[in-house]
Amino acid sequence: MPGFTPCFNCCHGPGCSGNGCASVRFLHGAVNQPAVNITLGNRTVINNMRFGSFTPYYRDCGSQNTLVTVTNSQTGAILFRRYLNFASQTSYTVSIINDGSGISLFTLTDSPCSYRNSGCVRVVNLSPNSGPVDVFLSGNGRIFQNVSQLDVTDYRAFGRGSYRASVSESLPCPAGSSVIMGDTYVECSNTRIAIMDSTTLNIMVGGTYTLYIIGLAYQFPALQILTVENDAAF
């Protein structure tokens, strides 16, 4: 991973935080923004982090209010600085998102999967221009609909297996109507909409997966699904 800073306090597996610590990782989802360095408390956890990448979890064992600083990796200019509250024995993903011409941070709690004999999937829409989107899963049809910017869905349970996950603009579809999934489109009631991105999603029993929708609809960088497993959730 470009700019990764080795860290002996990094988390690498479930429950890695220890008593009194939180697990915190970062995701760069801000389009047309520079590569960044991120400081968690008094330590730099990653340098030169670019759009579309994410870090492992890091331990945060200090006070619950931790200063997070994001700087331009080329100029050193501070792009964002704020104290964030991280509760002990809790895992978080902090996303860098667009905020006008600058950036902000969007914090999400990563919970473990509570379904037995299944994996858990949810969707977060970080795209600044997509409008509401629908997400589809092969063999299951439309699994989430009308997911607007910064919306976070609830988890849904799916069996172990390899699936094709796809995203499109929100598809007008009357209740009870069937949805047809093609390789490059979805269709309902004679309305056909292009699929903007697809990816392979491998679900394991007990696994928890967040599908982040990042990028720009019909522009560059193109809208994409970024799959992130919550492998340190308590």
Side-chain angles (χ1 to χ4, degrees):
M1 183 180 301
F4 174 70
T5 302
C7 172
F8 292 107
N9 289 319
C10 297
C11 297
H12 298 289
C16 65
S17 288
N19 294 331
C21 297
S23 294
V24 183
R25 68 178 169 194
F26 297 91
L27 182 151
H28 194 327
V31 299
N32 299 322
Q33 291 293 325
V36 298
N37 302 337
I38 299 177
T39 301
L40 179 65
N42 60 1
R43 60 196 171 102
T44 299
V45 293
I46 190 167
N47 292 308
N48 200 34
M49 184 183 188
R50 299 179 182 275
F51 170 76
S53 62
F54 59 93
T55 72
Y57 285 99
Y58 303 96
R59 290 192 186 97
D60 180 50
C61 302
S63 62
Q64 288 190 345
N65 289 311
T66 300
L67 181 63
V68 176
T69 304
V70 182
T71 59
N72 185 313
S73 64
Q74 296 298 315
T75 67
I78 295 175
L79 303 177
F80 193 89
R81 175 181 282 172
R82 178 174 294 175
Y83 281 93
L84 299 180
N85 188 291
F86 299 125
S88 63
Q89 296 294 297
T90 307
S91 300
Y92 299 90
T93 298
V94 180
S95 296
I96 302 166
I97 62 172
N98 293 95
D99 185 8
S101 61
I103 66 168
S104 186
L105 298 181
F106 181 74
T107 303
L108 191 60
T109 301
D110 296 333
S111 303
C113 184
S114 59
Y115 295 97
R116 298 185 63 183
N117 303 318
S118 300
C120 295
V121 178
R122 66 178 173 180
V123 169
V124 183
N125 186 0
L126 300 185
S127 171
N129 81 329
S130 68
V133 300
D134 291 348
V135 175
F136 304 82
L137 200 65
S138 57
N140 293 272
R142 181 168 58 180
I143 59 171
F144 298 107
Q145 62 186 95
N146 294 315
V147 185
S148 298
Q149 184 183 15
L150 301 185
D151 276 356
V152 182
T153 70
D154 293 331
Y155 285 111
R156 286 193 57 183
F158 297 96
R160 177 179 177 178
S162 181
Y163 299 86
R164 177 178 174 239
S166 304
V167 60
S168 75
E169 294 179 66
S170 188
L171 179 67
C173 198
S177 300
S178 60
V179 176
I180 300 171
M181 291 184 62
D183 290 337
T184 60
Y185 67 89
V186 290
E187 183 176 340
C188 178
S189 298
N190 297 317
T191 299
R192 180 175 290 189
I193 294 180
I195 288 174
M196 292 188 283
D197 188 44
S198 293
T199 189
T200 299
L201 175 61
N202 295 311
I203 296 178
M204 302 295 293
V205 172
T208 307
Y209 307 88
T210 302
L211 307 184
Y212 285 89
I213 310 301
I214 64 173
L216 297 174
Y218 310 115
Q219 298 180 39
F220 182 83
L223 188 134
Q224 64 177 280
I225 301 171
L226 181 64
T227 303
V228 180
E229 184 175 1
N230 303 345
D231 56 358
F234 290 95

